[in-house]
Structures are given as C-alpha cells and as structure tokens.
Amino acid sequence: MAIRLSLICLLVSVTAIAADLTPERYWISALPNTPIPNSLRHLFTSDFSDEKSTNVQVGKGGVNVYTGKGKHGGGTAVNVGKGGVHVDTGKGKGTHVSVSGGKGHGGGVGVHTGKPGKRTHVGVGKGGVIVHTRHKGKPVYVGVKPGHNPFVYNYAASETQLHDDPKAALFFLEKDMVPGKAMNLRFNAEDGYDGKTAFLPRGEAETVPFGSEKFSEILNTFSVKPGSGEAEMMKKTIEECEAKRVGGEEKYCATSLESMVDFSVSKLGKDHVRAVSTEVAEKNAPMQKYRIAAAGVKKLSDDKSVVCHKQKYPFAVFYCHKAMMTSVYAVPLEGENGLRAKAVAVCHKNTSAWNPNHLAFKVLKVKPGTVPVCHFLPETHVVWFSY
C-alpha cells in the first residue's frame, strides 16, 4: 500500500514539474502575454516527424506506453519505481532516467534514445504520458548557395553571393519604404535541407556537441562525412556563431527555443515584449515583384531589438544579436500574382561598424554609417522588441 501511495505521489509530482517540458510550454510559462510567431511554431515539429498514437496503461507494474504499432512487443514501456524511470524500447535494452526539478532543463522527466533526429522522447505532462517518435533519419541535405550569412555584418560579400543569393534583394533603404514602391523579393529561408529543421528540446540540445573544437564529434553525431558540402555548411554556421561581435552588439547562438527566449528576455525584459516574423500566404512562394500596399507601413519599435536569424544546420539554430538604434516595421506587400505578405523589416540606423564590403553596401551602393540600411526578414527569422 505504501509503495502504491508513493507511486501515485511520484506521478502527481512528475506531472506538475513536467508541465513545461516542451518548447511551447516553456514559452507560455516565460511569456504568457506574448504570442508565438507562426514561423517558430512551425519549427516545433520537423517535416520528418512520425507522430504515433499512444496507449497509456497505469497499473501495478508502472506506466506502460505503447506507440501505436498494434503489438505490445513493438511499443515502449515506461516503468516508474523507486530507482527512477526505466524505459524499455522493446529491444532488450533500457534507459535509466532520473526525475528532478533541476535548473537549466526545466525539470521533469525526459527520455531520449539514440542520436538526434532518431530518438524517442517520452514526457509526462498535464495530458498524461506523451511519446514522440521521430523519423528514422535526419533531414536530407540538398545543398546551399555559397557565401556568408548576410545578417552577420562583419563579413564581406563575394561576387557569387552578390549575384546569386536571393537574400541580396531583401536589403533596401529606409527612404524607399513607401506605399507603391516595387521590389523583387523572395522570403523563403533556405537552410540546406529538404524540409524544415526543427527545434530540439533544450535538455536534448544541451547534450549535442556544438563548437569548432568539437567539430569531429559533431560530424560523427549527425553521421556527416568530413569534407562534404554538408560538413562545410555546418562548419560555416559554427564559425559565424563564434565570430567576433560587430561594434557594441551582443550576440548569441541559440540551439533551442528555450535558450532563444532566455537571451531575448535578458536583453529586453519580459513584461512588454513582442516577437514577430514575416508571413507569406503561400508556402515556397517564388521570387516575384511585390508592391508596398496602400494600407501603409507601421512602425512597431524605434529603439533596441533582438533579431534572431535561422542558421543552416541539421536542427534549428538561431544567430541572435541585440542591436541598438534600430527600427522595426510591419510592411504589407502585394505580389504581382495577387499573393499577399505581412513582411517584417528591420532598419539599422548606425552601420559604421559593419564590414565596408558587406552585401548590403554592394547592393545599395552606399557606404557604412551614411544612411539607415533596412532588410526584410525571411520567413523563419524573428525579431524581438519592447513596446
């Protein structure tokens, strides 16, 4: 009887502390009055996820979870006992997981088996026990166009990037942001993979190596061949994350949604903060001519902001930087084929510390520190600001 009562108490406490295990729950807990942009919500689950139904049975033997394969032999059993949580994946091998409310990972129960992109995550929350089984394999690398991330301002543009990178068209001058102005734009954010790469929960992301000194380990973790195009892409992302900062800006590479929230809140506060991103009515819309709609441009912020740019990597990594003297605008656009977009633009009033050969200066034919330089955000990028 005492053991049964202990089990019930443990399950109740686990349910309470695990409520915020998912990235979405963490956001709601930290920013209850800030809506989640659709661009980030779409990254909670990968295009390669394999969501299965879950049957949960609570009995004397613990909590048994079956992942919907039709036979108990193919499911996952989760047993809660005095020693913690034991997960049997049906292959004769189990995973021992401690239950705690420790700092840094949000507390609760998290079970991870296998490499990133190939693992089963078991979480206990308000809805019971939830099992997410990811697709057997990471997103397929399809190649990327050469050149540095144009939103890292200490790099010079290459001639190839100037002519071939569709993001070059995203830069414009603030004076041109008027109704009727036409621009050739494409808002898709290519990340090098056939399908979007998703967020890892922070507890999982923090176990994955990240950094130039661990690059061989990183390639092994994701089964990437050294010297391949994918390896070079990943290396460039890490180099950009580790590059020196521009001027007085503060920067940070967030490897989880939770860490992005923490960085942004630490710079802007949490009481009056918004996060917005560009929204296009059609998925994978091609490059086309857009005009700024007659409804006009709306200024959202005119001070400091934190802009987070999605990087090219096997899972969602964002290059975030806090910039002073920036303005954020909502810009309604109408495409020549009738497509509508709610674009977000960021204007930098002080570009004196940027590389003089940066892509923006090449495209706009202006010099650093002379005029405000603006850019639209691709769909999966986000800007945070106070209001």
Side-chain angles (χ1 to χ4, degrees):
M1 183 67 177
I3 294 177
R4 185 178 182 84
L5 287 174
S6 297
L7 174 60
I8 293 173
C9 291
L10 176 59
L11 288 174
V12 171
S13 63
V14 164
T15 300
I17 63 178
D20 295 328
L21 278 177
T22 66
E24 182 175 11
R25 286 174 177 169
Y26 186 86
W27 178 295
I28 294 171
S29 174
L31 300 167
N33 299 316
T34 303
I36 303 173
N38 287 333
S39 64
L40 296 184
R41 190 181 296 278
H42 292 162
L43 300 180
F44 290 161
T45 304
S46 167
D47 283 346
F48 299 88
S49 292
D50 182 13
E51 298 293 344
K52 293 180 173 62
S53 60
T54 301
N55 178 35
V56 182
Q57 297 178 355
V58 181
K60 293 182 179 180
V63 181
N64 296 305
V65 182
Y66 302 104
T67 58
K69 293 185 178 181
K71 295 181 180 180
H72 289 184
T76 299
V78 183
N79 300 305
V80 183
K82 290 183 178 180
V85 180
H86 184 82
V87 178
D88 186 353
T89 59
K91 296 180 180 180
K93 296 181 180 180
T95 301
H96 182 269
V97 182
S98 61
V99 181
S100 69
K103 297 180 180 179
H105 291 69
V109 179
V111 180
H112 309 292
T113 61
K115 292 184 177 182
K118 298 182 180 180
R119 47 180 90 197
T120 299
H121 172 75
V122 181
V124 183
K126 292 182 179 179
V129 180
I130 306 166
V131 177
H132 299 290
T133 304
R134 296 192 187 156
H135 191 279
K136 300 296 183 181
K138 63 182 178 63
V140 178
Y141 173 73
V142 295
V144 294
K145 289 182 171 58
H148 290 287
N149 181 347
F151 305 115
V152 179
Y153 304 120
N154 55 355
Y155 288 116
S158 65
E159 286 301 317
T160 302
Q161 186 179 23
L162 181 62
H163 297 292
D164 297 340
D165 192 339
K167 289 190 287 293
L170 297 176
F171 289 95
F172 62 96
L173 297 177
E174 190 173 34
K175 68 180 181 62
D176 293 328
M177 197 163 32
V178 294
K181 177 66 177 180
M183 304 179 186
N184 289 316
L185 301 168
R186 179 187 172 198
F187 293 103
N188 304 48
E190 298 176 345
D191 62 8
Y193 292 93
D194 182 17
K196 63 181 181 289
T197 53
F199 282 114
L200 296 181
R202 175 156 58 183
E204 184 176 334
E206 289 180 348
T207 67
V208 179
F210 190 85
S212 55
E213 75 283 357
K214 301 177 181 179
F215 193 61
S216 295
E217 185 181 354
I218 293 170
L219 296 182
N220 182 61
T221 298
F222 291 100
S223 302
V224 175
K225 183 179 179 181
S228 65
E230 184 176 10
E232 291 304 307
M233 177 196 72
M234 294 168 64
K235 181 179 180 181
K236 188 178 293 292
T237 288
I238 293 172
E239 288 175 347
E240 290 173 350
C241 285
E242 296 177 342
K244 65 179 182 179
R245 62 185 186 178
V246 177
E249 76 171 10
E250 299 175 68
K251 70 185 188 72
Y252 173 73
C253 271
T255 58
S256 66
L257 180 70
E258 297 92 323
S259 59
M260 182 202 296
V261 169
D262 289 351
F263 176 76
S264 301
V265 166
S266 73
K267 304 307 173 188
L268 302 172
K270 63 181 297 184
D271 295 330
H272 299 282
V273 63
R274 284 188 63 192
V276 296
S277 57
T278 293
E279 296 184 9
V280 183
E282 179 182 306
K283 185 178 180 180
N284 298 323
M287 174 81 78
Q288 66 173 296
K289 182 177 291 185
Y290 288 88
R291 291 187 183 276
I292 298 179
V297 176
K298 180 180 179 182
K299 182 177 284 189
L300 302 177
S301 174
D302 198 27
D303 188 12
K304 60 186 178 182
S305 63
V306 173
V307 189
C308 294
H309 305 284
K310 192 168 186 289
Q311 299 295 96
K312 298 178 176 69
Y313 212 70
F315 64 92
V317 173
F318 281 78
Y319 177 96
C320 299
H321 56 113
K322 174 189 172 185
M324 306 297 291
M325 300 180 66
T326 57
S327 296
V328 179
Y329 294 91
V331 185
L333 298 172
E334 297 177 352
E336 59 184 356
N337 66 349
L339 182 66
R340 294 178 180 269
K342 299 177 182 178
V344 175
V346 178
C347 292
H348 300 265
K349 301 173 187 177
N350 183 4
T351 60
S352 57
W354 293 18
N355 188 305
N357 292 311
H358 184 269
L359 182 63
F361 303 134
K362 296 284 189 180
V363 171
L364 302 175
K365 295 179 170 51
V366 296
K367 294 183 178 181
T370 56
V371 294
V373 170
C374 306
H375 61 80
F376 289 112
L377 292 184
E379 287 181 277
T380 54
H381 299 209
V382 61
V383 59
W384 301 70
F385 58 88
S386 300
Y387 63 93

